[in-house]
Amino acid sequence: MAGASKAVVDSRANLPFVYRQYSPEQLRQVLHTMYLIRRFEEGAEECYMRGLIHGTMHLSIGQEASAMGICMPLAEDDQITSTHRGHGHCIAKGAEVSRMFAEFFGKTTGYCKGRGGSMHIADVAKGNLGANGIVAGGIPIAVGAALSSKMMKTGKVVVSFFGDGANNEGAFHEALNMAAIWKLPVIFVCENNGYGMSTSTARSTAVKNIAERAAAYSMPGVIVNGNIFSEVAEASFKAVERARAGEGPTLIESKTYRHRGHSKSDRNRYRTKEEIEDWMANRDPITLFETELRDFGFIDDRGIQAIRDAVAKEIADGIEFAKASPAPEIATLGNYVYTEQA
Amino acid sequence: MDAAVRELSYAQAIQEAMAIAMDMDDRVFLMGEDIGVYGGAFQVTGDLVERYGTDRVIDTPISELGGAGVAVGAAVTGMRPIFEFQFSDFATLGMEQIVNQAAKMRFMLGGEVSVPVVMRFPAGSGTGAAAQHSQSLEAWLGHVPGLKVIQPATPHDAKGMLLAAVADPDPVMIFEHKLLYKMKGHVPEGHYTVPIGKAEVRREGRDLTIVATSVMVHKALDAASALEGEGIDIEVVDLRTIRPIDRQTIIDSVKKTSRLLCVYEAVKTLGIGAEVSALVAESEAFDYLDAPIVRLGGAETPIPYNPDLEKATVPQVPDIIAAARDLVKGVR
């Protein structure tokens, strides 16, 4: 790898944004994290099928480049709010998969001590203020976090992830308006995967592109191919710079696709097999990024295999950690309702 | 004026509390609709914007849901917002953020965050504002674990409980009856707190306990005075906090008087009176009861505009006198 990267560095000027901005080691780490997200969700799905995880979950398989690209330019103490489809955001912001599995297994070692599960997964220490079970619920909270940043002069940037469904909630519009009038350091990231549960954006949304909504709030509206890591990361990088400079919010529409259904109850009656197969075969974000990395000489087949093996071990270890972790005592049911209780 | 007997209105007491909170802690700030130069719909924030500036007394757009969410987000990330709903009725617009986010965030995240937000709700009827500006929705929020819900009845408590709310690490919802804003009373200077979760016996008596909330405390006290001449000795408990409720003060009072009358302005059914009645019925005080428990609450109707109809919607002093007299004389 070391030999290859010198040639790469010399010729980087013509490469897409991320290859100019980040080191080969950082980019290989990105591939690692994207695989970690994919395998985490596959592992969670398998554990669900085997009855080890109960409830439901919303998988973001197919959207890994979006989560990773947006989080790439963020600092550790920058903050995000996430959605019911939030596993990828959590991992991209730096969470450990072992503690995420533990949460899904309802264990005390989970990020939420077994109280939140998939839909409320969070990692406050890494700046993830939480996934959210309410569509658009996290958007005003992100604006509030950005208001804190401005008032406390911490320099933090806040990203609010949400889906296309959220763009028709009142909270979205109220939050974008306030962020704009107060010029807050927040980035609104609409991961448009084409469907709010079963209803397509064509049927639910009056504008063709959700980024067009930005015009109503006098902020830049940027459309990116959410399956191309470099495109997403470049848009995020610019939005972070703008936010950090005090110039206000940006709306990024990251067009992507979820390979799996909305949740575990999805019978897949609103989209065709051909459509799903087309996205999986031709526009898989991990395949696209991996191919690019290899074509540009940033990684070889052995390097890719090493990443896959390392991720597989991390996932297996994470599941074992979760299985071996203790369940909460029933007597602790009332904990965390009020601060003085626990 | 002698500091010991200094009087302020209820609205002035709240304003003073907010000023003290902002003086003591840079993290405290105010948000709400028209709370800046306008001074708030009920002039509670008044001229605070002149003293603290627009960075700490923030006029929001008319966006109750978004505004409540911004307050929640600021609270989770280190600030201490006090968010004013212009009318408590508009809580309905912000309910998602109050019920799903503010109340549950600490729990859902396994104790990793606290949500030290204060929300203020001008509530109640009696101002001719009709059905959408006169409701008493405190029991809605009182039903939600994770929230604290208070109803100060005096200027003294309005100040002390607001300062307790600002210091509290959890979300505190303050329901302020609009008819109380101009009421004057003794308010000590400087910082003090009145604990959340503690009821107050406003008047001691032997024959009957009236548990009342907010403006009904004063009506109950008037009724108690009126019945003195008839030899009826009434104890009035000002509940002050509906979540967490002060069970012991209620139980102790009923054990002493053996009779219970609950008086509250919100719609009678499924309200705070049901909760107070049930907790007494479930307690050792049940064996002390000499008469059925009686509730006086709001009529099963929206608040009407016509002033006579409006008065008829909520318990008035003569209603309390009649109910108390009947209870003590064994008519009921």
Side-chain angles (χ1 to χ4, degrees), chain B residues 6 148 252:
Chain B
R6 186 187 69 139
K148 296 183 178 179
D252 289 347

Side-chain angles (χ1 to χ4, degrees), chain A residues 112-113 115-116 120 122 129 132 134 137 140-141 143-145 148 151-152 174 177-178 182 335-340 342, chain B residues 55 58 63 65-67 69-70 73-74 77 79 96-97 101 105-108 110 112 114 146-148 169-170 243:
Chain A
C112 310
K113 304 187 181 72
R115 270 68 174 180
H120 305 295
L129 299 174
N132 210 303
I134 306 298
I141 293 173
V143 174
S148 281
M151 293 182 94
M152 297 162 83
E174 294 185 19
N177 183 58
M178 279 186 275
W182 297 331
N335 287 8
Y336 319 123
V337 181
Y338 294 102
T339 301
E340 68 254 33
Chain B
D55 287 345
I58 301 174
S63 299
L65 172 60
V70 169
T77 51
M79 297 298 288
E96 194 283 298
Q97 284 292 331
Q101 313 294 344
M105 208 162 166
R106 176 174 176 76
F107 184 82
M108 293 189 299
E112 292 295 316
S114 287
L147 300 180
K148 296 183 178 179
D170 297 315
R243 175 179 279 273

Side-chain angles (χ1 to χ4, degrees), chain B residues 283-299:
Chain B
S283 78
E284 74 268 22
F286 177 76
D287 289 333
Y288 292 74
L289 286 172
D290 287 340
I293 297 168
V294 174
R295 291 176 292 160
L296 283 182

Side-chain angles (χ1 to χ4, degrees), chain B residues 139-162:
Chain B
W140 286 29
L141 299 186
H143 195 64
V144 182
L147 300 180
K148 296 183 178 179
V149 183
I150 63 177
Q151 291 184 281
T154 66
H156 174 276
D157 285 0
K159 178 178 171 182
M161 294 188 89
L162 192 142

